[in-house]
Amino acid sequence: MAVLFVKGRRKIINLERPTFKDILEARNIICQYLPQTPLYTYPQLDQLLDAKVYVKHENHMPTGAFKVRGGINLISHLTSEQKKREW
């Protein structure tokens, strides 16, 4: 369950766990608008964890955060009527 605040009003919505198919669909939508986030390695971290570790810095996104991905995906699933509605 999630709580949204729209025009100062509290609105509760049910959220379902995304499926793998949902994730792939979201990736196909998001990649049209945002660049891929680069992966970096850090030898000291690899050594500390005894594994090859890749770090994805979401702060390298144009907005400085990963949340823009969710916003793009959400807007892409709105109906035409919802897109016209004033929030």
Side-chain angles (χ1 to χ4, degrees), residues 51-67:
K52 187 71 171 176
V53 178
Y54 294 90
V55 178
K56 188 171 183 135
H57 289 276
E58 293 296 333
N59 59 319
H60 290 197
M61 295 301 296
T63 60
F66 69 92
K67 294 179 181 182

Side-chain angles (χ1 to χ4, degrees), residues 23-33:
I23 293 168
L24 293 177
E25 288 175 4
R27 180 185 69 173
N28 290 334
I29 292 166
I30 293 165
C31 74
Q32 298 173 50
Y33 301 97

